[in-house]
């Protein structure tokens, strides 16, 4: 197909009056002028955003954990509520939640998601498929180690979002190989079983388009060095560029526990004990010192920042100003899905810096003075790196993951190319994205998805059931 754009953000900046040729999901030509027969984009075209961090099932309890208790509510009480919800979810629920969520993501401009997937086992903690006499699942499929992973692949396929599936290795409830709690039984795999799951997911991925697989060792508190080393070696044997994501340094307590156990801060321990490279993404590296910050940058690893979730959980603020000034690579994620909106993530990424430093327009550079454009482009590229996907910017040879802004909305704010993304990030009160293309296919047209009614009905029914029990 051919798509004409009056204004389009390409790799090197804005261009006007261009026609893209898109074949088999990839941009194969970009030519000046309107080519006859091209579809006309009804607003400016920008690259799709990559969501570097999602736990899909957590979408089901957004809003259920905001009840105060005299300032005593913390990340750890939030986690307790999460475990209560989790104890009820079937594989069909997991798919229905993820499908609703992924449609919401698409509408807000996320064209690919890295799913940090740790809900592996059945409600009682038993491994799906372990007992062959169990027969098939309620959805008619036969159970296997990858049953829950398949639910995520199916949700991505039915919604149309690109997927990077990251099966999570989770073994301990705390530093020093503490035994997992009952609430964690659905997450736990031996290293051998985990490596088998990863292999199964690589095979599964071949049956779905626009997907790939990496791994996510959950955190240093949940995985010990021997398991981490084995899991990394295994995934590297399957794909030496597979993404590896890990939660690190999210809470001060985690830093204190790590210091007590290893005598090192979490990121420092990781730098000293794992072969970090540009395919590693450090999620919530919130509490880092200068040496750790420079260490992440020296390894070209990515900082996966989730500003709204980190604010919601009271985690703290990542040193984004210093990290970006030293050419660190960032990506953004919606994590707990308290917000599913890259515009809000980027707005808060900048606002957190303004509030702490009492300055303005911080996350811009001398080459790119527009904060909005700088953040959108850097987060999209960092997100692409974090998923090892052929996305992140629009150029010949890149996957056609793109957004068309709604000119009826953008015309009400500063909308020349120099200011457009500043208006989008800082001044939008409504979703300014009209159409969303993933891998060359329109998934959202005029803010609508073909499956949205059925998906939201299924989700609302499920939510009513969960909250009633
Ligand atoms: Zn997370």
């Amino acid at each position: 197909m051919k798509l004409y754009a009056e204004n389009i953000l390409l790799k090197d900046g804005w261009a006007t009056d261009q026609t893209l040729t898109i074949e088999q999901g990839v941009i194969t030509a970009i030519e000046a002028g309107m080519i006859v027969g091209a579809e006309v984009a009804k607003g400016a075209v920008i690259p799709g955003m990559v969501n570097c961090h999602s736990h899909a099932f957590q979408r089901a309890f957004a809003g259920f954990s905001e009840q105060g208790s005299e300032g005593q509510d913390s990340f750890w009480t939030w986690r307790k509520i999460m475990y209560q919800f989790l104890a009820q979810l079937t594989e069909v629920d997991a798919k229905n939640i993820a499908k609703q969520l992924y449609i919401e993501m698409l509408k807000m401009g996320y064209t690919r998601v890295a799913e940090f997937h740790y809900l592996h086992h059945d409600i009682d903690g038993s491994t799906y498929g372990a007992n062959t006499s169990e027969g098939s699942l309620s959805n008619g499929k036969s159970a296997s180690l990858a049953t829950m992973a398949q639910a995520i692949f199916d949700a991505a396929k039915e919604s149309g979002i690109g997927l990077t599936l990251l099966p999570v290795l989770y073994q301990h409830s705390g530093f020093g190989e503490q035994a997992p709690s009952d609430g964690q039984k659905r997450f736990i795999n031996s290293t051998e079983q985990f490596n088998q799951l990863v292999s199964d997911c690589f095979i599964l991925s071949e049956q779905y388009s626009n997907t790939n697989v990496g791994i996510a060792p959950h955190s240093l508190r949940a995985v010990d060095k021997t398991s981490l080393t084995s899991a990394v070696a295994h995934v590297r044997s399957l794909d030496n560029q597979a993404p590896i994501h890990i939660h690190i340094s999210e809470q001060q307590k985690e830093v204190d526990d790590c210091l007590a156990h290893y005598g090192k801060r979490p990121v420092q321990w990781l730098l000293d004990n794992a072969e970090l490279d540009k395919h590693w993404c450090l999620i919530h590296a919130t509490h880092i010192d200068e040496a750790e910050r420079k260490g992440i940058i020296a390894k070209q690893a990515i900082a996966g920042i989730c500003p709204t979730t980190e604010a919601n959980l009271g985690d703290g603020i990542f040193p984004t100003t210093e990290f970006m000034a030293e050419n660190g690579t960032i990506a953004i994620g919606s994590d707990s899905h308290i917000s599913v909106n890259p515009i809000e993530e980027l707005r808060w990424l900048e606002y957190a810096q303004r509030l702490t430093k009492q300055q303005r327009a911080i996350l811009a550079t001398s080459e790119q003075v527009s904060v909005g454009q700088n953040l959108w482009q850097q987060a999209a590229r960092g997100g692409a790196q974090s998923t090892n996907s052929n996305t992140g910017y629009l150029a010949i040879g890149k996957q056609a993951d793109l957004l068309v802004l709604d000119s009826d909305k953008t015309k009400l704010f500063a909308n020349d190319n120099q200011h457009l993304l500043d208006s989008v990030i800082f001044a939008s009160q409504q979703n300014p994205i009209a159409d969303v293309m993933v891998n060359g296919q329109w998934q959202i047209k005029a803010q609508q998805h073909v499956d949205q009614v059925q998906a939201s009905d299924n989700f609302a029914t499920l939510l009513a059931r969960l909250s009633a029990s």
Side-chain angles (χ1 to χ4, degrees):
M1 66 100 67
K2 291 187 189 298
L3 178 68
Y4 171 79
E6 200 176 324
N7 295 287
I8 181 166
L9 184 57
L10 297 174
K11 184 185 179 194
D12 298 321
W14 285 100
T16 54
D17 195 27
Q18 301 287 316
T19 299
L20 307 185
T21 301
I22 297 162
E23 296 171 307
Q24 295 181 327
V26 172
I27 300 168
T28 55
I30 303 175
E31 296 161 87
M34 188 194 293
I35 293 176
V36 179
E39 188 174 336
V40 178
K42 295 186 179 67
V45 174
I46 63 173
M49 184 54 67
V50 177
N51 188 338
C52 79
H53 193 60
S54 162
H55 308 289
F57 69 86
Q58 294 184 9
R59 170 64 183 80
F61 54 93
F64 279 108
S65 62
E66 309 299 328
Q67 311 261 309
S69 51
E70 295 173 358
Q72 297 304 303
D73 206 48
S74 70
F75 170 87
W76 309 98
T77 52
W78 171 86
R79 204 175 66 161
K80 227 173 103 188
I81 293 171
M82 170 180 89
Y83 288 169
Q84 286 166 6
F85 259 85
L86 239 165
Q88 309 172 53
L89 296 181
T90 68
E91 74 284 353
V92 176
D93 296 336
K95 194 202 88 172
N96 285 337
I97 296 168
K99 182 173 175 180
Q100 168 67 17
L101 171 67
Y102 293 166
I103 290 172
E104 291 170 353
M105 284 187 190
L106 285 164
K107 287 185 175 187
M108 299 309 297
Y110 288 121
T111 46
R112 187 175 198 86
V113 58
E115 181 63 36
F116 199 105
H117 169 66
Y118 60 89
L119 186 54
H120 299 307
H121 304 310
D122 210 339
I123 286 172
D124 62 2
S126 63
T127 303
Y128 283 106
N131 180 356
T132 47
S133 65
E134 276 175 354
S136 58
L137 298 166
S138 51
N139 60 7
K141 291 177 179 162
S142 56
S144 76
L145 191 55
T147 285
M148 277 294 190
Q150 190 160 5
I152 301 296
F153 276 114
D154 286 342
K157 181 183 177 182
E158 290 178 24
S159 69
I161 201 166
L163 174 69
T164 297
L165 187 80
L166 306 169
V168 172
L169 176 61
Y170 201 122
Q171 296 186 320
H172 314 301
S173 69
F175 287 96
E177 305 183 23
Q178 294 170 39
S181 68
D182 191 57
Q184 295 164 337
K185 66 189 172 198
R186 303 187 73 182
F187 315 157
I188 308 297
N189 280 300
S190 68
T191 309
E192 296 67 35
Q193 187 161 287
F194 175 75
N195 286 342
Q196 184 60 53
L197 171 62
V198 173
S199 295
D200 292 352
C201 287
F202 268 82
I203 293 167
L204 208 47
S205 175
E206 288 171 13
Q207 299 166 23
Y208 295 83
S209 71
N210 199 18
T211 65
N212 64 339
V213 177
I215 61 166
H218 180 274
S219 58
L220 297 185
R221 62 179 193 272
V223 176
D224 59 73
K225 185 178 177 181
T226 308
S227 306
L228 177 67
T229 306
S230 169
V232 169
H234 180 70
V235 77
R236 282 280 171 269
S237 75
L238 297 169
D239 175 0
N240 64 12
Q241 299 188 333
I244 302 175
H245 292 209
I246 185 168
H247 289 136
I248 199 109
S249 278
E250 179 171 9
Q251 291 268 321
Q252 188 58 46
K253 180 180 186 303
E254 188 178 2
V255 178
D256 297 342
D257 290 352
C258 191
L259 277 165
H261 180 69
Y262 283 128
K264 285 184 179 172
R265 301 171 60 83
V267 170
Q268 192 60 55
W269 187 92
L270 197 65
L271 288 165
D272 293 345
N273 288 278
E275 304 268 316
L276 263 56
D277 60 25
K278 66 178 183 178
H279 302 295
W280 279 74
C281 183
L282 276 52
I283 305 295
H284 317 297
T286 308
H287 300 281
I288 52 174
D289 65 18
E290 188 180 338
E292 291 175 303
R293 189 180 79 228
K294 290 184 185 303
I296 297 169
I297 295 167
K299 296 288 185 184
Q300 298 182 295
I302 304 143
I305 313 169
C306 309
T308 61
T309 293
E310 288 158 12
N312 186 271
L313 296 178
D315 286 347
I317 297 171
F318 179 77
T320 317
T321 304
E322 295 75 11
F323 188 80
M324 289 183 75
E326 294 164 9
N327 292 317
T329 302
I330 61 152
I332 54 160
S334 61
D335 191 3
S336 69
H337 316 302
I338 193 66
S339 168
V340 183
N341 181 354
I343 290 170
E344 193 179 14
E345 300 300 340
L346 294 175
R347 184 184 295 168
W348 275 100
L349 193 63
E350 168 74 14
Y351 278 173
Q353 298 302 306
R354 292 190 191 189
L355 289 165
T356 49
K357 297 191 183 302
Q358 301 177 40
Q359 293 170 16
R360 295 193 69 255
I362 295 175
L363 302 177
T365 67
S366 50
E367 297 84 51
Q368 182 47 263
V369 298
S370 159
V371 175
Q373 186 172 331
N374 190 44
L375 287 180
W376 191 274
Q377 289 187 290
Q378 295 223 25
R381 288 178 194 212
Q385 184 181 324
S386 80
T387 51
N388 193 32
S389 59
N390 184 29
T391 63
Y393 57 88
L394 301 176
I396 292 170
K398 282 283 162 185
Q399 193 166 303
D401 284 17
L402 56 84
L403 317 177
V404 179
L405 299 177
D406 181 345
S407 57
D408 282 342
K409 289 178 180 154
T410 58
K411 74 183 179 189
L412 302 176
F413 298 94
N415 61 47
D416 59 285
N417 288 342
Q418 177 59 32
H419 295 96
L420 180 62
L421 283 168
D422 291 330
S423 292
V424 164
I425 303 276
F426 296 104
S428 311
Q429 314 307 323
Q430 296 175 301
N431 181 6
I433 298 158
D435 306 326
V436 179
M437 178 183 283
V438 183
N439 200 22
Q441 306 282 330
W442 292 116
Q443 300 298 346
I444 303 291
K445 268 289 192 185
Q447 301 197 331
Q448 306 292 307
H449 186 281
V450 287
D451 261 1
Q452 65 184 27
V453 174
Q454 187 209 30
S456 62
D457 284 352
N458 285 342
F459 180 75
T461 303
L462 182 162
L463 198 60
R465 192 192 90 219
L466 289 177
S467 49
S469 53

